[in-house]
Amino acid sequence: MTVNGEGFERDVEPRMLLSDFLRHELGLTGTNVGCEHGVCGSCTVLLDGEPVRSCTMLAVQSDGRRLTTVEGLACDQKLHGLQEAFTACHGLQCGFCTPGMLMTLLPVYNEARRLSDDEIREVISGNLCRCTGYQQIVEAARQAIDEAADMADSAETEA
């Protein structure tokens, strides 16, 4: 499999969960495990660009596939736009849900399509946060998504 752009090959037990593989075999501890039932969203990663719950998926199911974890967001020590917005808008407190929130929002961010607050709430509706009440998370998502849309609009205007 490819994880955050790097190829990995391992022999694993057939019943090993993808979340356990990422955390224990690859040392990528940003993928958090909360409920272990796919309900809380803290273990969300991207599989071939789509958000999936790594606690309900077997590691062997990712054979030959492309995964992105929260560790794959920052580039050259520079935070991703979503990470910057979460910091600026205080979209995290304890931080446990943050990796799953970021990975859930990443495909929307990449689309560079403006969303209403209600649409953002719908996107993150499968991710639970016990700290913030979601307002700061929605504000952070809106800020980042709007910035991505602004950059896309600028690129279209220049082209």
Side-chain angles (χ1 to χ4, degrees):
M1 72 175 71
T2 302
V3 181
N4 301 327
E6 186 178 344
F8 291 93
E9 186 172 326
R10 299 280 197 288
D11 289 327
V12 298
E13 291 290 324
R15 65 178 183 253
M16 177 179 267
L17 295 173
L18 179 57
S19 57
D20 291 336
F21 177 78
L22 293 170
R23 292 181 61 81
H24 304 298
E25 295 291 321
L26 301 185
L28 299 172
T29 57
T31 301
N32 291 322
V33 179
C35 68
E36 298 184 82
H37 298 288
V39 176
C40 73
S42 65
C43 69
T44 303
V45 297
L46 298 186
L47 179 67
D48 296 330
E50 295 297 319
V52 297
R53 308 291 198 212
S54 64
C55 77
T56 62
M57 186 174 171
L58 298 172
V60 296
Q61 291 176 286
S62 61
D63 186 29
R65 315 255 325 251
R66 183 176 44 91
L67 279 108
T68 306
T69 70
V70 71
E71 289 90 350
L73 289 182
C75 183
D76 296 327
Q77 304 294 342
K78 183 176 178 346
L79 293 178
H80 185 277
L82 280 167
Q83 292 169 310
E84 288 179 350
F86 265 65
T87 300
C89 296
H90 307 287
L92 54 96
Q93 285 187 14
C94 81
F96 194 80
C97 71
T98 305
M101 291 280 186
L102 293 170
M103 299 315 293
T104 298
L105 287 163
L106 186 59
V108 175
Y109 176 92
N110 289 340
E111 288 176 10
R113 182 175 52 91
R114 296 182 199 285
L115 298 177
S116 69
D117 286 0
D118 286 340
E119 290 171 317
I120 292 169
R121 284 186 182 91
E122 179 65 28
V123 170
I124 63 170
S125 65
N127 294 72
L128 301 178
C129 173
R130 295 180 179 122
C131 300
T132 69
Y134 297 92
Q135 187 57 40
Q136 296 94 333
I137 293 170
V138 172
E139 289 172 13
R142 184 179 353 95
Q143 177 179 313
I145 291 167
D146 285 351
E147 287 175 7
D150 289 346
M151 286 189 292
D153 290 346
S154 293
E156 286 179 15
T157 303
E158 292 174 11

